């Protein structure tokens, strides 16, 4: 039997309509997204070894605040091409499905662990980027900030992005390993998680704290959790709906089921 047919037969048909029903019932739904939603846009999840830009580097060594302070030239030799690659990447139908749900008034906000700007490009209006964003970089001394496109003009001969005003080091406004998450963004995420009647977790293994604690806040205040992610998560047993196919197919099926509800 061809793999495609087997996959179709093996998938339970019920989850998408069930999730559509929960979305319609919910007075407040919040999405929580991770690397898995951007994989169809060509951005590899760094937890998958041997893929793309992460092939020859250990992100836990190079993408740290310590590495940025100790050896900014090496730090930027990794980040500069990554910036160039990410600047042109486009959102995929999974990002668009979430902005469509927001347009329909069925999704209050997207909390994301991703720094790639793709939710914003897809039209999501209320977006909480708990790991920051590549959208801007800032001087660590005077605080001046530049857009992604402007950073390229800041590099000195050693390949280090340097502030033209005070010669301070310029750092991407992403949360590096060893840095704390931005307090205001985390407070907003926690408030939303506690208020959500439904949290829709997409493309995240829900293992990186403190973000991994957010579905727990929703459950603790009586809300439901739905999970659309390949591979297991710590919340699988508590999930009202669990989908683990291709994220584009799964979210597409959910939006189609939402449309069917409105027509029916
Ligand atoms: Zn400066």
């Amino acid at each position: 039997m061809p793999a495609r047919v087997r996959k179709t037969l093996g998938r339970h048909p019920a989850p998408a309509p069930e999730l559509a029903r929960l979305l319609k019932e919910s007075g407040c739904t919040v999405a929580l997204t991770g690397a898995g939603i951007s994989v169809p846009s060509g951005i590899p999840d760094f937890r998958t070894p041997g893929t793309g830009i992460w092939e020859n580097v250990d992100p836990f060594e190079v993408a740290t605040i310590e590495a940025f302070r100790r050896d900014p030239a090496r730090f930027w030799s990794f980040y500069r091409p990554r910036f160039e690659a990410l600047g042109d990447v486009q959102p995929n139908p999974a990002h668009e499905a979430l902005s469509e749900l927001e347009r329909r008034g069925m999704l209050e906000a997207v909390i994301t662990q991703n720094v790639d700007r793709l939710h914003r490009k897809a039209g999501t209006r209320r977006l909480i980027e708990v790991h920051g964003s590549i959208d801007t970089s800032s001087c660590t001394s005077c605080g001046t900030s530049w857009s992604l496109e402007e950073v390229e003009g800041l590099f000195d001969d050693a390949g280090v992005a340097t502030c033209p005003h005070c010669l301070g080091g310029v750092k991407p406004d992403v949360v590096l390993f060893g840095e704390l998450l931005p307090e205001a963004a985390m407070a907003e995420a926690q408030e939303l998680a506690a208020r959500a009647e439904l949290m829709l977790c997409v493309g995240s293994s829900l293992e990186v704290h403190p973000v991994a604690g957010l579905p727990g806040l929703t459950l603790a205040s009586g809300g439901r959790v739905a999970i659309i992610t390949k591979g297991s998560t710590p919340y699988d047993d508590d999930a009202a709906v669990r989908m683990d196919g291709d994220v584009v197919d799964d979210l597409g099926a959910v939006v189609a089921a939402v449309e069917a509800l409105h027509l029916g």
Side-chain angles (χ1 to χ4, degrees), residues 111-244:
I111 301 165
T112 189
Q113 297 169 284
N114 301 337
V115 300
D116 54 32
R117 313 193 290 182
L118 294 185
H119 284 297
R120 204 170 289 283
K121 282 185 181 173
T124 289
R125 288 186 297 261
R126 187 166 180 196
L127 178 65
I128 299 113
E129 295 166 307
V130 289
H131 289 177
S133 168
I134 60 162
D135 201 35
T136 55
S137 294
S138 302
C139 173
T140 52
S141 299
C142 75
T144 306
S145 83
W146 294 268
S147 72
L148 178 67
E149 290 71 24
E150 291 168 331
V151 173
E152 189 53 35
L154 301 177
F155 287 100
D156 64 13
D157 292 343
V160 177
T162 306
C163 175
H165 310 302
C166 75
L167 301 181
V170 174
K171 187 186 96 56
D173 292 333
V174 300
V175 178
L176 302 174
F177 294 109
E179 283 191 299
L180 293 174
L181 266 51
E183 251 177 70
M186 263 321 282
E188 189 180 3
Q190 283 162 348
E191 186 271 325
L192 281 164
R195 191 155 53 80
E197 292 173 26
L198 177 64
M199 176 170 281
L200 178 56
C201 305
V202 183
S204 172
S205 58
L206 303 172
E207 278 169 338
V208 181
H209 281 276
V211 172
L214 294 174
L217 287 178
T218 301
L219 290 169
S221 42
R224 290 187 170 106
V225 168
I227 300 174
I228 301 180
T229 295
K230 280 181 187 168
S232 62
T233 84
Y235 293 98
D236 289 349
D237 290 343
D238 299 310
V241 174
R242 182 72 175 92
M243 299 171 85
D244 63 357

